[in-house]
């Protein structure tokens, strides 16, 4: 992949920032249910807080899509980094549920495996300017891979509170210190993004604008993506960790090891995704890897023992993320350059809104003893989404559409 020198420097900063955020997201998603349980809350509270987090991220991203073009992207990235710092300090210093819920709603906490924060559309819009065509797809694959690898490594850090507790530190204090570290990373990202130029380097970049000529296809994609997101919200990492804690009594350290390997498999699959897409097409890559991953999730729900459940979940992880870089690159390609930030926002917002509505439902099902139900519902809905996506777009010459828009 060849980029101009200035563009390469900006891409490097964005990738480092993505990696830092993914690292802390990787352990926070697993620690969140353990932290709330340690504070005396139940599974329903875990689901409700996860819903508030995703809903707040969706509304913030929607606001970015509507009004974000009025501010410089660099300014918005710096503001997001400050918000991340405040989020970590809020969770470290609060114990009452309703203040925690408020911080979750307005903050940047991420209970899921993917990135759902306001950082995402801002970084995507700047990355899209750095490259075109297949190079852009590889760039988004590198971005996704960086996030997946760093999140996997971050999952290993969930053993730190137990290790500190073994040294005599109060376990609740040790859990709080992990959120302090999250805040510290937010401050570090602010310093990093302060080095970004006000305007992306490279070819002349048009200003951000609301959706216009690309609105139709963006709305169609957003509607389909929202079904997938609603299903995924039933088993975000925080809830999947909760399922493992409650059903099998898994320890934090063991959960961290599992999520590390799951994240590593997901990361490696994203290396394969662009090559597979070149052979069988973007749509087939998305659909024909998602369906078996959903079947593995359903099988895990009925696994009689921990070993078999983890095996099915690892098989799922090896396939479930292969659509991430191709989907991101496709959205960026089928809209005009000024619309890219708005398109990223408007495809992300329905996903976040849909995902936000399901964790509370999953928490209620867990609380009622229906431990298999969220996993089965997730798998069935994702299969339905994949079939609907394939049926809607199988007759479209996707590569021709991309090439046509790339030439604008």
């Amino acid at each position: 992949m060849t980029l101009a020198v200035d563009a390469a420097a900006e891409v490097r900063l964005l990738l480092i920032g993505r990696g830092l955020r993914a690292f802390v997201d990787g352990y926070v998603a697993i620690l969140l249910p353990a932290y709330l349980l340690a504070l005396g809350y139940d599974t329903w509270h875990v689901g409700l807080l996860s819903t508030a987090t995703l809903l707040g991220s969706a509304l913030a991203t929607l606001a970015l899509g509507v009004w974000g073009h009025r501010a410089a992207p660099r300014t918005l990235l710096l503001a997001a980094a400050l918000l991340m710092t405040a989020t970590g300090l809020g969770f470290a210093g609060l114990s009452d549920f309703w203040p925690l819920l408020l911080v979750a709603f307005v903050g940047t906490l991420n209970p899921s495996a993917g990135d759902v924060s306001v950082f995402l559309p801002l970084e995507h819009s700047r990355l899209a300017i750095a490259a075109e065509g297949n190079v852009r797809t590889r760039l988004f694959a590198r971005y996704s891979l960086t996030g997946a690898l760093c999140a996997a490594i971050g999952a290993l850090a969930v053993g730190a509170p137990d290790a500190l507790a073994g040294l005599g530190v109060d376990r609740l204090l040790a859990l709080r210190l992990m959120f302090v570290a999250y805040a510290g990373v937010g401050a570090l990202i602010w310093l990093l993004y302060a080095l970004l130029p006000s305007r992306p380097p490279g070819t002349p970049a048009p200003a951000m604008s609301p959706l216009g000529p690309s609105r139709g296809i963006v709305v169609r994609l957003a509607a389909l993506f929202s079904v997938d997101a609603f299903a995924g919200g039933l088993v975000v990492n925080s809830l999947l960790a909760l399922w493992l804690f409650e059903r099998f009594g898994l320890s934090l350290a063991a959960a961290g090891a599992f999520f590390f390997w799951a994240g590593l498999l997901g990361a490696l699959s994203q290396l394969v995704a662009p090559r597979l897409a070149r052979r069988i097409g973007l749509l087939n890559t998305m659909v024909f890897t998602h369906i078996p991953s959903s079947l593995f999730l359903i099988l895990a729900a009925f696994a009689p023992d921990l070993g078999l459940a983890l095996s099915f979940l690892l098989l799922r992880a090896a396939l479930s993320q292969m659509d991430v870089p191709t989907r991101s690159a496709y959205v960026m390609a089928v809209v005009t350059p000024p619309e890219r930030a708005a398109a990223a926002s408007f495809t992300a917002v329905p996903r976040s809104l849909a995902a936000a509505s399901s964790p509370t439902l999953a928490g209620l099902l867990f609380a009622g003893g229906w431990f298999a139900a969220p996993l089965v519902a997730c798998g069935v809905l994702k299969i339905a989404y994949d079939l609907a996506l394939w049926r809607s777009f199988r007759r479209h010459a996707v590569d021709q559409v991309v090439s046509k828009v790339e030439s604008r």
Side-chain angles (χ1 to χ4, degrees), residues 66-91:
V66 175
W67 297 295
H69 60 283
R70 300 178 182 178
R74 176 177 175 273
T75 300
L76 295 173
L77 281 169
L78 292 174
L82 290 177
L83 183 60
M84 181 178 175
T85 300
T87 301
L89 294 177
F91 263 83

Side-chain angles (χ1 to χ4, degrees), residues 137 273-274 276-289 322-323 325-327 329-331 333-334 389 398-399 402:
T137 302
L276 184 61
R278 285 198 298 271
R279 288 181 175 272
I280 68 173
L282 295 172
L283 181 64
N284 289 339
T285 299
M286 295 167 66
V287 171
F288 298 133
T289 58
M322 294 186 72
D323 71 318
T326 49
R327 182 180 62 210
Y330 178 76
V331 172
V334 297
L389 182 69
V398 175
D399 293 334
V402 172

Side-chain angles (χ1 to χ4, degrees), residues 243 247-248 298-310 312:
W243 182 74
R247 183 173 179 189
F248 298 108
I298 294 172
L299 290 172
F302 297 106
D305 58 69
L306 176 62
L308 197 56
L310 293 181
F312 285 134

Side-chain angles (χ1 to χ4, degrees), residues 14 37 54 60 67 79 93 95 106 160 175 184 199 223 241 277 291 333 338 344-345 400 402:
L14 293 171
L37 292 174
L54 295 171
W67 297 295
S95 297
V106 301
L175 288 168
R199 175 175 172 172
I291 290 177
S345 298
Q400 294 178 13
V402 172

Side-chain angles (χ1 to χ4, degrees), residues 20-99:
L20 289 171
R21 289 192 297 107
F23 176 82
V24 292
D25 283 346
Y27 72 72
V28 163
I30 307 169
L31 285 179
L32 182 61
Y35 181 54
L36 292 176
L37 292 174
L39 289 174
Y41 302 111
D42 58 23
T43 57
W44 178 78
H45 289 97
V46 176
L48 182 59
L49 193 140
S50 297
T51 287
T53 298
L54 295 171
L55 180 60
S57 295
L59 294 178
T61 308
L62 177 62
L64 176 66
V66 175
W67 297 295
H69 60 283
R70 300 178 182 178
R74 176 177 175 273
T75 300
L76 295 173
L77 281 169
L78 292 174
L82 290 177
L83 183 60
M84 181 178 175
T85 300
T87 301
L89 294 177
F91 263 83
L94 297 171
S95 297
D96 292 338
F97 182 74
W98 294 111

Side-chain angles (χ1 to χ4, degrees), residues 369-394:
W370 296 80
F371 287 103
L375 279 70
V376 173
C378 175
V380 170
L381 285 173
K382 279 183 172 288
I383 291 172
Y385 151 77
D386 289 322
L387 295 176
L389 182 69
W390 186 78
R391 182 177 180 179
S392 297
F393 287 93
R394 73 185 189 278

Side-chain angles (χ1 to χ4, degrees), residues 173-187:
L173 175 60
L175 288 168
R176 292 184 188 277
L177 289 175
M178 300 299 286
F179 289 98
V180 173
Y182 179 92
V185 169

